[in-house]
Amino acid sequence: AQKVTQAQTEISVVEKEDVTLDCVYETRDTTYYLFWYKQPPSGELVFLIRRNSFDEQNEISGRYSWNFQKSTSSFNFTITASQVVDSAVYFCALSRRYSGSARQLTFGSGTQLTVLP
Amino acid sequence: DAGVTQSPTHLIKTRGQHVTLRCSPISGHKSVSWYQQVLGQGPQFIFQYYEKEERGRGNFPDRFSARQFPNYSSELNVNALLLGDSALYLCASSLASQETQYFGPGTRLLVL
C-alpha cells in the first residue's frame, strides 16, 4: 500500500522568511513518481514539480527548491523568501510508474501555509 | 491554451438524487482522472480513463460511475446521493495515463 504523510497541518511565517514543508512517503514499488501541488483558496490544484524515484538530484526553480532523499523516503519542499501570494495548501503526492497502468495519485493530507505581511 | 474546465462550478442536491459532473481536458490530452476532495483532506482517486476506456478505479461504491467521450471529455455520475458525498470533485487531464496530471478548478457539490 502507498501512503503519504505531511505531518505539518498548518505553518505560519512572516513574509521573507524561508519555510520548509515536509513530506514522507511509503511504497513497496521500486519505481515511482513524487509530486508537489499547490491549492490556493480557489480550489484548483496547481502542479509544481514531478520527480522520478531514480533521480535524487535536488532541484531549484526560482524561490522553490526540493530535497528528495530516498534513504529516508522524504521529499521536502522549501520556499525561500516567502511572499503573501505563497499562502495556500500544499500537497505532496505519490504515484506508481509502470507500463500499462493508470497513474493513481496518492495525496498527503496537505499543509496549510500562511504567509503574513 | 485553455486549461482543464469543469462544469458546473457549484451544485446543491438533496439525498437520494443523482448528479452528473462534466470535464473537458486540455487540448491534446487523452486521459482524464477524477478525484474527490473532502474538506480538510487530500484528494482521493475515483477513476481514470484513457482513450475512452477505464484504466483505473479507486475504492468508491458502484454509485459512482464515469465515462469518456470520443472528444476525450468526461462525465462523472453519482447516484443515490448521500450527505457524505458532499465534496470538491476534481478532474485532471494528462497526455497519456502515465503522464503528469493537470487539474481543473473543481465542482463543489453540497448534498442536503
Side-chain angles (χ1 to χ4, degrees):
Chain A
Q2 300 193 126
K3 184 179 179 182
V4 177
T5 301
Q6 295 180 255
Q8 303 152 308
T9 306
E10 296 182 23
I11 298 176
S12 288
V13 298
V14 177
E15 205 170 20
K16 297 184 183 178
E17 286 185 354
D18 298 347
V19 58
T20 296
L21 309 182
D22 298 333
C23 173
V24 175
Y25 63 92
E26 296 175 28
T27 181
R28 293 176 183 166
D29 296 336
T30 54
T31 55
Y32 48 88
Y33 281 127
L34 293 163
F35 299 80
W36 276 94
Y37 285 87
K38 173 182 178 179
Q39 188 174 43
S42 61
E44 182 173 344
L45 280 167
V46 178
F47 166 73
L48 296 177
I49 190 171
R50 179 179 82 172
R51 300 296 291 178
N52 297 325
S53 56
F54 50 82
D55 182 2
E56 290 194 62
Q57 275 195 334
N58 291 333
E59 183 159 339
I60 298 175
S61 176
R63 297 184 298 108
Y64 295 169
S65 63
W66 291 270
N67 184 349
F68 175 32
Q69 293 194 343
K70 208 167 181 179
S71 60
T72 57
S73 296
S74 66
F75 185 43
N76 297 335
F77 173 31
T78 297
I79 302 175
T80 304
S82 60
Q83 300 176 1
V84 173
V85 293
D86 295 328
S87 297
V89 180
Y90 289 85
F91 288 98
C92 180
L94 168 68
S95 78
R96 288 179 171 177
R97 173 184 178 271
Y98 51 90
S99 177
S101 173
R103 181 173 300 292
Q104 173 183 339
L105 292 176
T106 299
F107 285 85
S109 55
T111 297
Q112 170 70 60
L113 173 65
T114 302
V115 182
L116 304 169
Chain B
D1 286 343
V4 177
T5 59
Q6 293 186 243
S7 63
T9 55
H10 294 81
L11 205 51
I12 300 176
K13 293 285 189 178
T14 56
R15 281 178 298 175
Q17 284 189 313
H18 162 271
V19 68
T20 297
L21 311 181
R22 295 177 175 84
C23 171
S24 292
I26 293 170
S27 178
H29 286 194
K30 298 182 177 181
S31 181
V32 169
S33 299
W34 287 95
Y35 291 80
Q36 180 197 65
Q37 186 179 18
V38 174
L39 194 63
Q41 298 181 18
Q44 297 288 319
F45 173 73
I46 310 176
F47 287 110
Q48 185 178 72
Y49 277 77
Y50 177 64
E51 290 286 10
K52 302 179 289 295
E53 291 186 3
E54 182 182 304
R55 294 301 180 96
R57 183 184 184 112
N59 188 24
F60 280 80
D62 292 343
R63 299 185 296 108
F64 289 76
S65 63
R67 54 179 176 168
Q68 187 176 32
F69 299 99
N71 66 354
Y72 303 109
S73 66
S74 177
E75 283 183 355
L76 175 69
N77 295 283
V78 187
N79 293 323
L81 285 168
L82 303 173
L83 296 179
D85 295 331
S86 296
L88 177 67
Y89 288 84
L90 294 162
C91 173
S93 78
S94 53
L95 283 170
S97 62
Q98 299 179 41
E99 299 300 319
T100 297
Q101 296 180 15
Y102 296 90
F103 286 80
T107 294
R108 294 189 185 275
L109 172 64
L110 178 60
V111 182
L112 301 176

